[in-house]
Amino acid sequence: DRSGIVAEVGCGTGRVTTHLRDAGLQMIGFDLSPLMAVAARAAHSDLPFAAAHAAALPVRSAVLRGLVAWYSIINTPTTSLPSTFSEFARVTRPGAPVLLAFQSGEGQVVERTTSYGLPVTLTYYRHSAEATADALIAAGFSLYASVTRAAALPFESTTQTVLLAHRNEL
């Protein structure tokens, strides 16, 4: 069944949500930051955006046709990945794809005090590709593909991993 909503979790200003809508998907975007959800709605008033925690999405069980988390687990501690992925499993239909992209490493934690020249307090988590895949599998997904590549672009400082999985049948 190709009908239904796909969610982008950690949508930020809605750039990827909009791209996927333009590719023909029915989309909704969620971001932890209420201000980011407001910014996304202001930039893309024709799409629904809401503030929500990745581990507590405001949708019924097994309703989403798919889920994308494009570089949005960077602020999720490694110990919280199992509960986050269990929530992804709860909200997706059996067979639904989940696409996850993230800066990878062996459990590094990066503390930032500035960003774009402004003072901030940010903690970034670089998750192990293998451990993240294992957590997806443990949550009820089957891994379809995994790609890890070295930092390649001038602004990248770490390896990048993309995981594609499908929700197991209930």
Side-chain angles (χ1 to χ4, degrees):
D1 181 10
R2 300 190 59 83
S3 65
I5 298 170
V6 174
E8 183 188 9
V9 176
C11 66
T13 60
R15 181 182 59 85
V16 172
T17 310
T18 301
H19 174 75
L20 294 173
R21 185 274 319 270
D22 291 348
L25 298 175
Q26 185 180 353
M27 296 297 301
I28 186 168
F30 296 109
D31 200 274
L32 178 62
S33 167
L35 292 177
M36 228 14 124
V38 168
R41 281 193 301 271
H44 312 284
S45 61
D46 57 333
L47 281 168
F49 293 97
H53 192 286
L57 297 170
V59 298
R60 293 185 320 269
S61 296
V63 71
L64 295 178
R65 172 183 164 202
L67 187 145
V68 175
W70 198 252
Y71 291 96
S72 59
I73 63 169
I74 193 167
N75 302 114
T76 304
T78 301
T79 56
S80 297
L81 290 179
S83 60
T84 299
F85 295 161
S86 289
E87 179 67 351
F88 290 3
R90 181 190 71 79
V91 299
T92 52
R93 297 176 186 170
V98 169
L99 180 64
L100 184 68
F102 55 98
Q103 293 181 350
S104 50
E106 290 306 314
Q108 292 111 338
V109 177
V110 177
E111 300 289 341
R112 304 257 336 244
T113 56
T114 62
S115 182
Y116 299 102
L118 299 173
V120 297
T121 302
L122 293 173
T123 303
Y124 293 155
Y125 299 90
R126 295 187 177 144
H127 304 288
S128 156
E130 184 177 334
T132 304
D134 289 346
L136 269 176
I137 292 165
F141 294 93
S142 294
L143 191 63
Y144 181 75
S146 173
V147 175
T148 298
R149 65 167 177 78
L153 302 173
F155 56 87
E156 292 178 343
S157 61
T158 186
T159 57
Q160 313 288 307
T161 297
V162 178
L163 302 175
L164 176 60
H166 290 92
R167 177 72 175 97
N168 291 335
E169 298 296 322
L170 300 177

